[in-house]
Amino acid sequence: MRTLNLLVAAAVLWSSTAFAASVPSEEVEVERNFDALIHPSELRNWMKLLASEPNHVGSPHNKANANQILVWLKAWGWDAHIERFWVLYPTPMSETFELAGPKSFKATLQEPPIPGDSSATATEPALPAYAIYSGDGDVTAPLVYVNYGMQDDYKTLQRLGVSVKGTIVIARYGGGWRGLKPKLAYEHGALGCIIYSDPGNDGYAVDDTYPLGPMRPPHGLQRGSVSDISLYPGDPLTPEIAATRKAKRLKISQAPTILKIPVLPISYADAQIFLSGLGGPVAPQSWRGSLPITYHVGPGAAVGHLAVRSNWGLKEIDDVIAIMKGSTWPDQWVLRGNHHDGWVFGASDPLSGQVAILAEAKAIGSLVKRGWRPKRTLIYASWDAEEPMLLGSTEWTEAHARELKQKAVLYINSDTNGRGFLAVAGSHDFQHLVNEVAGDVLDPETGVSIGQRLRAKMRVAALEPDAKEHVKDEAKTAAEADKDFPIEALGSGSDFSSFIDHLGVPSLDLGFGEEGDSRGVYHSRYDTFEHHSRFVDPGFVYDALLAKTAGRLMLRVADVDIPVQRASGFAETVSEYLEQVENLADDERDQAETQAGLLRDRAFQLAADPTKSSGLPAPLGRVPHVEFAALEDAVDRLERSAKTYDDALAKNAAGLRPGARLEHLQALMLTIDRTLAPEVGLPGRPWYKNLVYAPGRFTGYEAKTLPGVREPIEDRRWADANRYAKLTAAALNTYSDRLDKATLVLNGE
C-alpha cells in the first residue's frame, strides 16, 4: 500500500509540475479554485430533481426543467434567457404490432414499472414505444428477420435468395444507427420495420438485468428518432433556417428526412414470440442473438399487422442560453452545451452531462463574484429537443450562424456520462489542448492523470487478439510521452453536429465511461436516478470529473492570449485519412476484379447448396483510378505549413504582447477551421459542409473522414470522387494559406 501511495504521490507531483510549466501561475490558481467549487453532492441533488418525472419534449416536466435551469443560472450570476423555436414534433396517437392469424399475439409497447424506482413513483405518463419521424401506416404482411438491417445484411439476404419486398422486417439494434434500418428496409421494398434489443447486445447475456444488474430487462424498449440524419438534422420542415414561429416551412410530404413506412421498437420478450414464427433459411451464425430460439430469416407462416398513427403538430422547444461577457475579447465566444430533454426520465442520457455543466456554470459564477473575469465571452447552453434529432442546437445555430462563423472559438459538447475512461472526439487542431488538460486532471480511482490512464488503456487494447491496425498504431503513439494521444473524429449524434458539420466551428465532444454501464437502459423507462446512482456513476464522482475536465478546457480557452490550435496534429491526422482513402480505392478495385472472376467461373452457383435457395451478388463493375494528385499535393503542403506554424508559435509565443500583432494572429486563427466547410457542401446533402468530418450516409452517427472523396469511392460514384478530391484539396490549401499568414505574423514579417 505504501508503494502505491508513493507512486500516486509521484504522479500527482509530475502532473502538477507539468501543469505549472505550461500554464501561467494565475491561471493555475483559477483552475484549482474552480475544482474546489465542484461538489458531487450538488450534482446528485440536481439530477434527482431533473429526473423525477418523464422529460420528453412537450412534457410538463421538460418545460419545468428548462425554467428551473434558467432560475439557477441567473442566481449564479449569468445573463441567462430562453430562446424558443417551434418544430415539427409528432406524438403517438395509436400504435399496434401483432401477429395476424389464429395464433394471435399483441406487442406490449409500454414498460412495466419497477418497484422502488422512479419508473414506479412518477405521476406523469411516459411515452410508449415510439420511433419519432416514422411514417404513419397500417400494413399487414409476412415477417422477415434482417439481422441489424445494414447494407451488408441485405447483401447476405440476396445470397440467401430472400427478398424483403412487400414484408415487415424485424431488425435488432446494433451494427449501425437506428434510423438506417427502416431507411434501408424501405429502399429494398419493405412495408414496415420493427426494431428490438437482443439480449445478446444489452440484456441478460451481457450482465444481470435491472434492477438486479445494469442491463435491459425483458420488457425494456429503446425509443428514438428515425429521421434521416444523413441529409440534415434539426426540424424536418426548416432545413438551413431557424424554426421561428413565422419561418417558411416545407409541407410534411416534402420533408425528405421523414420516413415513408411505419416503424416501432419492441422488447426482446415480445420479439421472441414474433421471431419464433419465422420459417425460411436458418440465419447465419453472425445473425444469431441470445434468445432461446432457432433464428430463422423467414418468411414463413408468421404474418404481422403494424399500424402507427401520430399527431403531426408543432411543439415549442426551450433552449436555455447563459452568457458571461468577456473582459478583453467579448466578441470571441467559447461555447459549452449539453441537452436537457430525455426520452423518459433521462438520468444518464442526458442529465449526467447536464448536471456537469450546471456545476461548471455555478463554479464560474462563484469565481466571477470573487473578482475573476474571463477574457473571452463564455456561452453555456442547455439544449432542448436533442433526442428527436438535435432540434434545439440545430435551430439555434441556424439562427445565429453569421455570428458563430465570425466569433466562435470552440464548442465543447457532452451528453451521456459515466464511470471510467476519458473519451474525446473532435477537431484535431485542438488535440494538443485536450492532451494538456488531460494531463492536469486526476483520475479519482487511480490517482494518476486521466490522460495517463487513457494512454494505458490504449496500450493494453493493442494486445487483444483481434486488435485492428489503427488500434495498434494508437498504442504506439500513446506509449510515447512526448506525443499527443489521438482523439477520434466527430460524425453526428449529439449537439456538436450543427457546429462542426454545418458551420465549420471547431468542436470537442467528451465524456467518461466503459466502467459504469447505461447501455441496458438506453432510451428506456429505466434510465432513472436510481439506475444511474447504482450502476453508472455511484457517488456522482465521474459526473463531477466531467465538470472539472470540460470546465478547465473552457477556462483555458477563455483566458489564453495566444491561439490554442496546434496544426501539426491536424495535418498528421489528415495525412492518415488520405492514406486510408487511397487504400480504399485499391481495395475496391481488387474486390471488383475478384468478384468478376468468381462470376465468370460460376463459383457462386457451384459453391451454393443446391437444396437451398440462393442468389447472385450484384456485379460491382470496373473501378477506375481516382485523381488524387491535387489532394496529395494539398496534404503535403498542409504538413509543411503546420510544422512551420507550430515551430514559429513555440519560438515566438512568449514574446507576444497585447497589441496589433497579437490581434492579427488571433483574427487569422479564430476562423481558420471555417475554411474546411465551404458552401458547396457534400454531394447530395449540402447541409453538411465540412469536407474533413461528417457522419456517413450509411453509418448514421459514425464519422466518415474526407467524406466527399471516401463515400463516392464506397458508392462507386467516380465523378463525385474526382470532383471532391479537388474541392477538398482547395479547402486544405485555404487552411494552409491561413497558417502561412499566421506564421509571418509570428515571425514579425
Side-chain angles (χ1 to χ4, degrees), residues 86-337:
W86 287 262
V87 298
L88 180 69
Y89 185 85
T91 51
M93 294 175 65
S94 62
E95 303 174 313
T96 298
F97 181 53
E98 59 189 345
L99 279 175
K103 293 184 178 180
S104 62
F105 174 79
K106 199 168 188 176
T108 316
L109 305 183
Q110 183 56 280
E111 298 144 305
I114 289 178
D117 185 71
S118 295
S119 61
T121 59
T123 58
E124 293 181 17
L127 277 175
Y130 195 51
I132 193 168
Y133 302 122
S134 148
D136 281 357
D138 189 329
V139 297
T140 300
L143 303 176
V144 172
Y145 174 56
V146 295
N147 191 29
Y148 294 119
M150 296 290 106
Q151 283 180 304
D152 286 344
D153 295 320
Y154 284 97
K155 293 176 183 177
T156 299
L157 286 171
Q158 186 177 19
R159 293 286 295 117
L160 292 171
V162 175
S163 170
V164 302
K165 188 174 182 179
T167 71
I168 297 170
V169 304
I170 301 178
R172 56 174 169 158
Y173 275 111
W177 178 61
R178 174 192 320 105
L180 288 170
K181 301 172 190 292
K183 176 183 177 179
L184 289 167
Y186 171 73
E187 290 177 354
H188 285 83
L191 303 179
C193 179
I194 298 297
I195 315 174
Y196 81 100
S197 298
D198 195 280
N201 294 81
D202 60 11
Y204 55 72
V206 180
D207 202 340
D208 291 321
T209 60
Y210 191 58
L212 181 61
M215 303 314 293
R216 194 176 301 275
H219 289 283
L221 300 162
Q222 185 188 138
R223 299 156 184 81
S225 176
V226 292
S227 170
D228 191 351
I229 194 176
S230 69
L231 297 178
Y232 56 88
D235 176 33
L237 304 185
T238 59
E240 302 219 33
I241 62 172
T244 59
R245 190 186 291 273
K246 296 183 179 180
K248 185 177 180 180
R249 289 174 164 80
L250 300 174
K251 295 179 180 178
I252 292 175
S253 60
Q254 297 172 321
T257 59
I258 297 174
L259 291 191
K260 303 296 191 292
I261 60 174
V263 185
L264 275 182
I266 64 172
S267 68
Y268 62 78
D270 287 350
Q272 181 174 332
I273 306 298
F274 292 97
L275 292 172
S276 296
L278 296 183
V282 173
Q285 179 65 45
S286 61
W287 286 36
R288 302 170 198 170
S290 296
L291 291 171
I293 60 173
T294 300
Y295 285 73
H296 285 265
V297 172
V303 174
H305 171 224
L306 170 62
V308 175
R309 188 162 66 97
S310 299
N311 179 0
W312 292 83
L314 299 184
K315 287 283 192 303
E316 179 183 285
I317 62 172
D318 295 341
D319 290 338
V320 188
I321 308 296
I323 301 170
M324 191 70 72
K325 195 169 184 180
S327 61
T328 308
W329 300 293
D331 287 335
Q332 296 183 24
W333 296 354
V334 189
L335 301 107
R336 173 83 170 93

Side-chain angles (χ1 to χ4, degrees), residues 13 29 95 156 205 229 340 376 437 441 461 593 624 640 663 666 696 748:
L13 178 62
E29 187 65 22
E95 303 174 313
T156 299
I229 194 176
H340 61 255
R376 292 178 176 85
V437 170
V441 177
E593 291 173 357
R640 293 193 303 271
E663 299 287 341
Q666 287 182 349

Side-chain angles (χ1 to χ4, degrees), residues 39-51 351 355-356 359 529-530 532-533 537-541 543-544:
H39 304 295
S41 60
E42 289 187 325
L43 280 77
R44 180 187 186 278
N45 293 337
W46 292 329
M47 179 184 282
K48 190 169 185 179
L49 173 64
L50 296 174
L351 295 176
V355 296
F529 170 81
E530 292 81 7
H532 185 83
S533 58
D537 185 23
F540 292 79
V541 175
D543 295 340

